[in-house]
Amino acid sequence: MKRVSIMNRSVMFMIFLKSKNIPVLPRIINYINRIIFSCDIPSSVKIHKGTIFAHSGLGVVIHSKAIIGENCKIYQGVTIGGRGERGTPVIGNNVFIGANATIIGNVKIGDDSIIGANSLVIHDVKTESVVAGNPAKEIKY
C-alpha cells in the first residue's frame, strides 16, 4: 500500500474543492500549505491522479496554469513556472523530476522522462528521455 503525505492529500482535496466551485476553503488550505510545507501549489493547477510530492513537497512552486500528468514524482525544491506571455509547462505521465529542478516557459515534457536534479529545462523534452544540466541537455534516450 502506497503512503501518501498529508501535503499530497491536501493539494488533491484543494483541487477537488476548486472543481466544485468552492472558493474560500481552497485558499485557506493553500495558505496552510505555504506555512507548513513552504510550497506554493495553487488550486487551479491541473494535477492528475497518482502524482506524488516527495518529502512533503517542501519548497515546490507550481504555476497556476501548469498541467501535470498521471503518476509523476516531484521532489523537493522544484519550480514549474511560466516565462511571462510565453506559456506554462505541460508535464506528461510517469515523469520523474529531481530535487531543485526548474522547468519554465512553454515546455512540454514527454511521458516516462526523467529530469535530473538541479536541471534548468527551457526546451521540450522527448518521450522516454533523460535530461540534466543547466540548461538541460538530453543525456540518454
Side-chain angles (χ1 to χ4, degrees), residues 25-39:
L25 196 53
R27 267 188 146 152
I28 293 169
I29 294 170
N30 189 24
Y31 288 132
I32 292 169
N33 282 342
R34 281 179 135 175
I35 292 167
I36 295 174
F37 301 109
S38 298
C39 67

Side-chain angles (χ1 to χ4, degrees), residues 13-117:
F13 184 60
M14 182 175 63
I15 291 169
F16 169 77
L17 290 173
K18 182 77 171 187
S19 72
K20 299 296 180 189
N21 293 322
I22 301 172
V24 177
L25 196 53
R27 267 188 146 152
I28 293 169
I29 294 170
N30 189 24
Y31 288 132
I32 292 169
N33 282 342
R34 281 179 135 175
I35 292 167
I36 295 174
F37 301 109
S38 298
C39 67
D40 185 12
I41 304 171
S43 58
S44 58
V45 69
K46 291 182 176 92
I47 301 176
H48 293 89
K49 291 182 181 180
T51 295
I52 294 175
F53 294 94
H55 305 289
S56 298
L58 287 171
V60 172
V61 178
I62 300 177
H63 192 280
S64 61
K65 294 180 182 173
I67 299 171
I68 300 173
E70 295 180 358
N71 303 316
C72 294
K73 189 160 190 179
I74 301 172
Y75 271 74
Q76 74 275 8
V78 170
T79 300
I80 300 172
R83 289 173 69 185
E85 298 296 318
R86 296 182 184 170
T88 55
V90 176
I91 313 293
N93 299 324
N94 305 310
V95 174
F96 173 90
I97 303 174
N100 299 312
T102 301
I103 303 168
I104 57 172
N106 188 15
V107 176
K108 291 184 182 20
I109 309 296
D111 295 343
D112 303 307
S113 295
I114 298 173
I115 310 293

